Structures are given as C-alpha cells and as structure tokens.
Amino acid sequence: QVQLVESGGGSVQAGGSLRLTCTLSGFDYATYHMVWFRQAPGKEREGVAGICSDQTTTYADSVKGRFTISLNNAKNVLYLQMTSLKPEDTAMYYCAAARWSCYSLPEARGNMDFWGKGTLVTISS
C-alpha cells in the first residue's frame, strides 16, 4: 500500500526554521519525481520544491535560497528544510509523487500519482 506521511509542521516566528519530513512506503520512490506543495487558505495549491530521480532539484522563486529538498533513500524519507521563514509561508504542506517523470513545478500539480495528507505550518510575525 502506497503511503506518504508528512510530519514536522508547527508554529514558529518569522525568521525561524522548520524541517518537514515525508515518510515513504509501498512504492519505488527512487524512480519518482517527488514534490513538496503548499496551500494557503483561499489560494491554489502550489509546488514549492521538487526532486527528480536523477537528483535534479527545482524551487519556486518564492522559496529559492531558503528551502532545500532532499531524499534520504536509506531512511525512506523526503525532507524539506525551511529557513528564514516568513508569514507568507503559512500553509498546509503536502508531499506528492509522480512516476517516471520530471515535471516543472507548475505542471506537477495536475500530474502527481500519490499524495500525503499534509502538515500545517504557521509562521507568526
């Protein structure tokens, strides 16, 4: 059974850091495009960071230089390290996977095969 389970969300002040974890099971994620998305209240879900099977990474302009995506194959986890957090980073964060592909972040939203249920990140000013 395919499972993606996010954790690590919470409430921090602006300027702080959080590391989100997505625990993966039930599929060969090494061959998938793994993406972190976020959705703020009243806004569309947007891709913020992706990592392809060849380890190529992409980031949304809004998080470039502040967020880092990584995949730890030995631990079966996908990470999103977030630093210099801003109130506008407040959102529900989701991890997702798409097989045999490497989409741009705008394309990824409609093409993911598996999704987690999300973890909430709240940044206060």
Side-chain angles (χ1 to χ4, degrees):
Q1 180 181 0
V2 173
Q3 285 193 313
L4 294 81
V5 181
E6 302 93 337
S7 60
S11 297
V12 299
Q13 288 192 324
S17 299
L18 282 173
R19 187 176 75 168
L20 305 185
T21 297
C22 179
T23 303
L24 311 170
S25 62
F27 67 109
D28 184 11
Y29 52 85
T31 63
Y32 279 64
H33 183 199
M34 304 299 302
V35 180
W36 283 99
F37 292 84
R38 69 185 180 188
Q39 187 166 18
K43 295 190 176 181
E44 290 189 341
R45 192 170 296 189
E46 62 171 346
V48 294
I51 183 166
C52 296
S53 58
D54 64 357
Q55 303 303 302
T56 301
T57 57
T58 55
Y59 296 92
D61 288 343
S62 58
V63 307
K64 204 169 292 183
R66 300 188 299 121
F67 290 12
T68 303
I69 188 171
S70 61
L71 182 62
N72 186 319
N73 289 306
K75 294 184 178 181
N76 297 347
V77 293
L78 178 74
Y79 296 112
L80 185 67
Q81 179 68 50
M82 306 186 295
T83 63
S84 302
L85 284 161
K86 304 175 181 180
E88 51 264 43
D89 294 319
T90 294
M92 186 71 80
Y93 283 73
Y94 302 88
C95 62
R99 62 172 67 89
W100 299 115
S101 58
C102 188
Y103 296 105
S104 68
L105 290 178
E107 292 176 320
R109 188 178 66 184
N111 288 288
M112 307 311 286
D113 295 301
F114 306 119
W115 290 86
K117 294 183 178 181
T119 186
L120 181 63
V121 171
T122 304
I123 311 301
S124 58
S125 58

